[in-house]
Amino acid sequence: RCYAIAKSGSAKHERSDAFEALKEEFYATLPEEEQEAKKMMIERYYHAVEKAAMRNMILDEGVRLDGRDTTTVRPIWCETDYLPCAHGSAIFTRGETQSLSTVTLGTKLDMKERDEVLIQETDQFVLHYNFPPFSTGEARPQRGVGRREIGHGNLAYRALKPMIPMAPENPYAVRVVSDILESNGSSSMATVCAGCLALMDAGVKIKKPVAGVAMGLITDKDNPNERYAILTDILGDEDHLGDMDFKVTGTKDGITATQMDIKVDGLSYDVLERALEQARQGRLHIMGEMMKTISEPRAEYKEFVPRMIQIRVAMATCGIAAGARETMDEFIKVLGEQGIENAVVTQTGCMGYCYAEPTIELTMPGKEPIVYGHVDVEKVHEIIEKGIKGGELLDGIIPVTHTSIV
């Protein structure tokens, strides 16, 4: 009867309820005085029977718990611009797993600061992964971030980071947040896919799109290297009852990150080779579905993304530009007199000895108008370029070599 339930192809909660009902039915056949004494043993052995039924079904017939064969990916639905006021957003659904990811673009002041014993630096790109209890149908309080959230978030971070342009090509601090709304297998891979879509929706010029897939393995206990089945896009139950959880992320040209958990003593080269090839095919299928929604980054940033003007300072006066706080205060004051309000001025590119021209970044919220006071982009560019070069701003303290609008 366990085998019949496993082969029914029902949904996650329906299947769990059916297994639980069968166990309760068996409990009812025991004398009442024996039920409490034998409860622990029944739980243990029933789980073993359930596990054996699922594994034998896959090895003998090639049929999985939801009715798929070993290479099929669950149906995919995704959409970008899901949250219209976010800098970038996307929702990615694969079967019963769903991630809603958002992208926020900020200035250098928004970058994550790392102050460690041997490392003092900032991270331009960060990714946060949230796994609320309701995503698995649980009702419990949400405490602090656990090891699971840290590990899954780190995998998605490693998957996306190589494809994200950094300064000076991309001056923005980039934060991706993935909220898992439903989970039944590989929410970290859904985070990678949703995060990639959200980055393209935000207009971040990623080098190549990234997708990810989770692979599983079922082996024969007596002959693991000869009789086995490799599963594409595993369910939560297949992860729990199987022998491997192998996550692979990458572009169409190669792998960006991997993570493997195995419950067997080891894998032969042939098994690993086949798993990687099957993962490549699954990853390309998922990426093809993603590209139907958005195939490349947007040409322009969205309305609510802050705009920047970068001013490169001549090397001869970079010490004045980088060291004089009153210079920056005066700069902001004169900008205010010109109708440029709520600007954030950030100094970059000059730490101690200068080997390159330092940069002053002028950041303003929104696009229409780009600054408060109804001054458009071209007017801001004209004021800064003409004013500083002509000595009207700062009395010529900061000679400008280049000005560009991001």
Side-chain angles (χ1 to χ4, degrees):
R1 293 181 63 180
C2 277
Y3 196 95
I5 294 173
K7 196 176 178 180
S8 64
S10 54
K12 175 183 176 180
H13 293 292
E14 294 174 4
R15 184 170 59 251
S16 298
D17 292 343
F19 277 125
E20 189 65 26
L22 180 58
K23 183 172 65 176
E24 293 298 327
E25 183 179 337
F26 178 76
Y27 271 135
T29 64
L30 298 176
E32 187 174 347
E33 61 274 9
E34 296 181 10
Q35 290 183 4
E36 187 64 30
K38 295 182 178 180
K39 181 177 182 180
M40 184 179 297
M41 297 300 292
I42 292 175
E43 292 281 353
R44 178 187 300 176
Y45 287 112
Y46 182 77
H47 180 267
V49 171
E50 183 182 332
K51 179 177 180 179
M54 186 275 288
R55 294 169 67 90
N56 290 333
M57 180 182 68
I58 294 175
L59 289 173
D60 295 339
E61 304 185 41
V63 178
R64 298 163 64 177
L65 290 173
D66 58 355
R68 289 180 292 154
D69 60 25
T70 57
T71 60
T72 300
V73 178
R74 288 172 289 176
I76 292 172
W77 170 78
C78 46
E79 184 176 327
T80 57
D81 198 24
Y82 204 72
L83 303 176
C85 290
H87 296 170
S89 64
I91 191 165
F92 177 88
T93 307
R94 185 191 61 249
E96 296 173 298
T97 299
Q98 186 176 77
S99 169
L100 174 62
S101 291
T102 56
V103 171
T104 304
L105 304 179
T107 70
K108 181 178 175 63
L109 298 176
D110 299 312
M111 294 183 185
K112 178 183 176 181
E113 295 185 1
R114 297 173 59 191
D115 187 5
E116 302 176 11
V117 176
L118 299 177
I119 300 175
Q120 289 82 37
E121 59 185 25
T122 58
D123 291 334
Q124 187 174 353
F125 169 63
V126 296
L127 186 146
H128 293 146
Y129 168 95
N130 300 320
F131 192 86
F134 68 77
S135 64
T136 53
E138 300 178 51
R140 58 179 172 83
Q142 187 166 1
R143 308 296 185 186
V145 178
R147 291 178 298 172
R148 185 185 185 284
E149 286 87 347
I150 294 173
H152 282 58
N154 181 261
L155 174 60
Y157 170 81
R158 290 188 289 112
L160 293 172
K161 185 179 180 182
M163 296 298 111
I164 295 181
M166 298 297 178
E169 180 183 355
N170 171 32
Y172 287 107
V174 181
R175 183 192 184 206
V176 176
V177 178
S178 172
D179 291 294
I180 304 302
L181 306 182
E182 185 180 16
S183 178
N184 183 16
S186 190
S187 57
S188 61
M189 296 299 94
T191 294
V192 172
C193 298
C196 176
L197 292 170
L199 286 165
M200 291 194 289
D201 180 58
V204 178
K205 305 302 185 289
I206 59 174
K207 300 169 187 176
K208 297 175 184 178
V210 182
V213 64
M215 310 298 295
L217 177 69
I218 304 295
T219 61
D220 187 308
K221 183 179 180 180
D222 299 324
N223 194 8
N225 290 323
E226 297 295 331
R227 188 166 182 259
Y228 61 87
I230 297 173
L231 312 179
T232 299
D233 181 25
I234 59 174
L235 302 171
D237 286 340
E238 292 170 340
D239 180 9
H240 174 61
L241 301 174
D243 297 322
M244 179 181 76
D245 178 14
F246 184 28
K247 297 182 174 70
V248 185
T249 70
T251 68
K252 62 182 179 64
D253 299 320
I255 294 172
T256 58
T258 63
Q259 177 178 294
M260 176 185 284
D261 300 323
I262 57 174
K263 303 172 188 176
V264 292
D265 293 335
L267 300 177
S268 67
Y269 181 86
D270 291 338
V271 173
L272 185 59
E273 181 183 31
R274 183 180 166 190
L276 285 169
E277 173 57 24
Q278 197 166 315
R280 185 187 69 84
Q281 295 174 4
R283 188 174 75 244
L284 293 180
H285 168 76
I286 294 171
M287 189 175 298
E289 296 298 310
M290 293 166 55
M291 295 302 100
K292 294 177 183 178
T293 301
I294 181 170
S295 59
E296 60 184 15
R298 294 186 185 274
E300 298 291 337
Y301 294 113
K302 291 188 176 180
E303 176 182 357
F304 299 102
V305 175
R307 264 49 178 186
M308 290 185 184
I309 296 178
Q310 294 182 328
I311 307 169
R312 294 183 186 170
V313 180
M315 287 289 291
T317 56
C318 69
I320 299 174
R325 179 66 252 181
E326 59 271 14
T327 301
M328 293 297 101
D329 294 338
E330 182 66 20
F331 187 31
I332 296 174
K333 178 181 177 182
V334 177
L335 289 173
E337 294 173 354
Q338 299 285 352
I340 304 174
E341 302 174 359
N342 294 333
V344 177
V345 179
T346 309
Q347 298 161 288
T348 62
C350 188
M351 296 291 290
Y353 297 101
C354 295
Y355 299 99
E357 292 177 339
T359 301
I360 297 175
E361 293 179 350
L362 175 63
T363 307
M364 295 156 288
K367 178 180 179 181
E368 296 296 343
I370 187 170
V371 291
Y372 298 129
H374 305 288
V375 180
D376 60 19
V377 175
E378 290 74 16
K379 184 64 175 177
V380 173
H381 186 283
E382 178 184 345
I383 289 173
I384 293 178
E385 190 172 42
K386 176 183 176 182
I388 298 182
K389 279 186 176 180
E392 297 175 11
L393 298 181
L394 310 182
D395 297 324
I397 292 178
I398 306 180
V400 173
T401 60
H402 175 76
T403 305
S404 62
I405 295 179
V406 180

